[in-house]
């Protein structure tokens, strides 16, 4: 048997795909060595530059391919590839896979090396180790992908050891060959961006589009226009420099400066003084350069608090992101960021692109990828009423695709960073338990949790000392390591990974019903507690406190995903779980007033005040303290000498409620708890200087003494 591919057939196919504006997935099933040998015969004859290979560098099937790690696909967002050779035997991280599929241009081929489809459910994917899924006996997510591939007639399936020359699909060439060019959508967006860049201040534009719609190119063309028509500096930022490569390329083309060796970080000069510059995100916010216009590309991958800083830091800002993103959901970004825009810049506008530009609307790869990773997931619409509320256990691993689509849609809408990797984790984690909430039979809420912990005493002690780190077990390991209590890793905890309720009917207690169901499950299963870990913000803290959970740890470093400090909350269910919660809270309270000015001085004062009020008092106000407070309130004792007593006062029961009700909550929190100097408090607008600031705190101390005679 001839084990070589039909070279002329593949060349003809690639030419027809290019003319039709199509791309194709090619699944190479079976023996990996046979697949590599088959590719080694085919790829040198095809147009595969630029292209990438995700397997070991020593196994690269064509020298023109660039070897990358399987997890690095997202770094190629914003670039265009002619070929992807994905070595599934080396790992299949879903986010990276989906990202690379979106970089393929018309005529592109995505080769996927894997075992035979029937083996995918039990295939020990090397990437499972990264997320703690390697202990699962079966993998429903992979089995679901195998079913989708088997049912899609557009997928080319090859088993080189058995069928090296499959029948290749007939691709009908259109009367006019497909060409990449500007669309009406794109031209309209260019005008919209130029109008924003030349218009009134504080009227930002939010651009959303699916992958491959040409938004980056439109931003580049618009930037060149703005500079040629009078703007002097346009600054672009993004999570990665590579993400703006296309933007800068089209800016240079529009400015008549195409340069084959230029990179995204090279400034584009337009006219006598105009400059388009790339600034990394951290440097941009640290140095705050003057710029008439700031463009933020791939905004969904940037933490919300940093987006807000950019929104308020420059007069004209354009945010651009992908709706069905592989770097964080653009739809979740639009929903969560909308409240900030409405509050800070109510005249903001939205623009979108729908027509693809790098491939034809009839391309078969895009709908296939969307189906595989639920990129079109939509929560079901709600009808009037919604009185018949039912909460019940639910299993995504056995759900129909329609049910899965609706449930995942809820998560995408509610959570900033929901991605294809989350879908795999949800379906494949054997320790996962989920509940759904329906109103009159319509899916309205979802809760996903996982059982963690239960480590033996010796291993728990090693985890506490930082000598061991296990995959998974996020909450118990974190609590053991950072609190110093080894028993935290030995207890069985139910961690809520995600909880989501349809945005149209939030704040009606439905989320609490889901959490209550999870608590009852924890109690019935003999678990020790229920907890959660999330990027801390005041609204979420309030929700979890209503559910009976209390703060037990605030992380020392901001999360890369949210830009917020990780906050962990816990509620004991068993007696030893309740004891652990008390110990953790007391320990946090003992360290709180020392750590806040050292590690959390930048946190929003509202959150710091809320967390301070949730902690138990570790020392009481004595007679000496009361004498100092009275002297301070009456103007006889200085602020610096009274500060230790004010700090002790801050954590007494009920004091936070009095501070919150006053007009000086921010001043009190930043000065007393977070340790801001007077000069900084003045710059932030909390006071006009030291003397008026001290006077305000003296009045507040007097109010405490008057309203809290029990101190």
């Amino acid at each position: 048997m001839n084990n070589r591919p039909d070279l002329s057939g593949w060349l003809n196919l690639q030419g027809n795909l290019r003319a039709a504006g199509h791309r194709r997935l090619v699944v190479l099933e079976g023996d990996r060595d046979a697949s590599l040998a088959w590719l080694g015969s085919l790829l040198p004859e095809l147009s595969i530059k630029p292209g990438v290979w995700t397997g070991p560098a020593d196994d690269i099937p064509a020298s023109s391919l660039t070897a990358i790690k399987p997890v690095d696909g997202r770094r190629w967002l914003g670039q265009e590839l002619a070929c992807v050779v994905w070595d599934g035997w080396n790992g299949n991280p879903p986010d990276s896979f989906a990202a690379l599929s979106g970089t393929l241009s018309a005529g592109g081929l995505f080769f996927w090396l894997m075992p035979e489809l029937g083996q995918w459910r039990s295939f020990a994917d090397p990437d499972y180790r990264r997320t703690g899924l390697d202990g699962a006996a079966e993998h429903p997510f992979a089995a679901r992908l195998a079913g989708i591939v088997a049912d899609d007639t557009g997928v080319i399936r090859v088993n080189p050891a058995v069928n090296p020359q499959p029948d290749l699909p007939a691709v009908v060439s259109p009367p006019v060959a497909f060409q990449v060019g500007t669309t009406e959508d794109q031209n309209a967006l260019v005008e919209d961006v130029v109008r924003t860049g030349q218009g009134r201040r504080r009227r930002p534009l939010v651009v959303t589009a699916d992958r491959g719609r040409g938004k980056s190119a439109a931003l580049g063309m618009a930037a060149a226009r703005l500079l040629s028509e009078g703007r002097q500096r346009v600054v672009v930022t993004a999570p990665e420099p590579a993400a703006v490569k296309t933007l800068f390329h089209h800016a240079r083309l529009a400015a008549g400066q195409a340069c084959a060796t230029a990179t995204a970080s090279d400034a584009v000069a337009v006219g006598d003084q105009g400059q388009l510059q790339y600034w990394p995100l951290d440097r941009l916010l640290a140095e705050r350069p003057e710029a008439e216009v700031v463009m933020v590309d791939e905004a969904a991958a940037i933490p919300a608090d940093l987006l807000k800083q950019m929104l308020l830091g420059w007069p004209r800002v354009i945010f651009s992101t992908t709706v069905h993103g592989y770097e964080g959901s653009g739809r979740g970004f639009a929903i969560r960021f909308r409240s900030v825009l409405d509050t800070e810049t109510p005249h903001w506008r939205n623009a979108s692109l729908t027509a693809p530009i790098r491939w034809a609307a009839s391309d078969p790869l895009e709908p296939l990828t969307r189906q595989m990773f639920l990129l079109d997931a939509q929560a079901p619409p709600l009808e009037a009423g919604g009185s018949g509320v039912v909460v019940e256990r639910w299993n995504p691993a056995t759900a129909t695709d329609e049910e899965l689509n609706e449930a995942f849609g809820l998560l995408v809408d509610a959570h900033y960073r929901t991605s294809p990797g989350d879908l795999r984790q949800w379906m494949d984690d054997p320790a996962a338990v989920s509940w759904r909430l329906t109103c009159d039979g319509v899916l309205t809420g979802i809760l996903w949790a996982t059982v963690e912990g239960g480590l033996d005493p010796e291993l728990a002690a090693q985890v506490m000392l930082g000598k061991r780190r296990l995959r998974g077990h996020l909450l118990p390991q974190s609590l053991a390591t950072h609190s110093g209590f080894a028993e935290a890793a030995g207890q069985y905890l139910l961690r809520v990974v995600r909880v989501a309720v349809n945005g149209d009917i939030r704040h009606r207690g439905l989320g609490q019903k889901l959490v209550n169901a999870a608590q009852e499950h924890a109690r019935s299963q003999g678990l020790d507690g229920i907890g959660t870990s999330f990027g801390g913000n005041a609204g979420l803290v309030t929700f979890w406190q209503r559910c009976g959970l209390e703060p037990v740890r605030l992380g020392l470093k901001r999360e890369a995903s949210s830009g917020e400090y990780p906050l962990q909350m816990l509620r004991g269910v068993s007696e030893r779980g309740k004891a652990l919660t008390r110990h953790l809270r007391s320990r946090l309270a003992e360290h709180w007033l020392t750590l806040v000015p050292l590690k959390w001085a930048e946190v929003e004062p509202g959150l710091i005040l809320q967390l301070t009020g949730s902690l138990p008092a570790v020392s009481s106000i004595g007679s000496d303290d009361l004498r100092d407070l009275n002297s301070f309130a009456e103007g006889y004792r200085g602020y610096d000498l009274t500060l230790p007593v004010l700090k002790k006062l801050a954590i007494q029961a009920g004091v936070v409620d009095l501070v919150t009700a006053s007009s000086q909550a921010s001043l009190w929190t930043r000065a007393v708890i977070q340790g801001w100097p007077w000069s900084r408090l003045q710059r932030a607008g909390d006071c006009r200087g030291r003397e008026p600031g001290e006077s305000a705190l003296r009045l507040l101390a007097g109010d405490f003494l008057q309203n809290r005679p029990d101190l």
Side-chain angles (χ1 to χ4, degrees), residues 626 629-631 633 700-711:
L626 282 174
L629 286 172
N630 275 294
S631 297
L700 198 51
D703 288 343
F704 295 154
L705 294 169
Q706 182 177 351
N707 291 291
R708 287 293 311 277
D710 57 317
L711 285 173

Side-chain angles (χ1 to χ4, degrees), residues 107-148:
L109 294 169
F110 193 119
F111 294 96
W112 189 5
L113 284 71
M114 282 290 283
E116 294 182 5
L117 294 187
Q119 300 174 15
W120 286 21
R121 179 179 289 273
S122 59
F123 172 53
D125 190 320
D127 190 58
Y128 293 150
R129 291 193 298 270
R130 185 173 56 88
T131 54
L133 294 175
D134 47 326
E138 291 190 336
H139 302 284
F141 176 79
R144 175 180 170 273
L145 294 185
I148 291 171

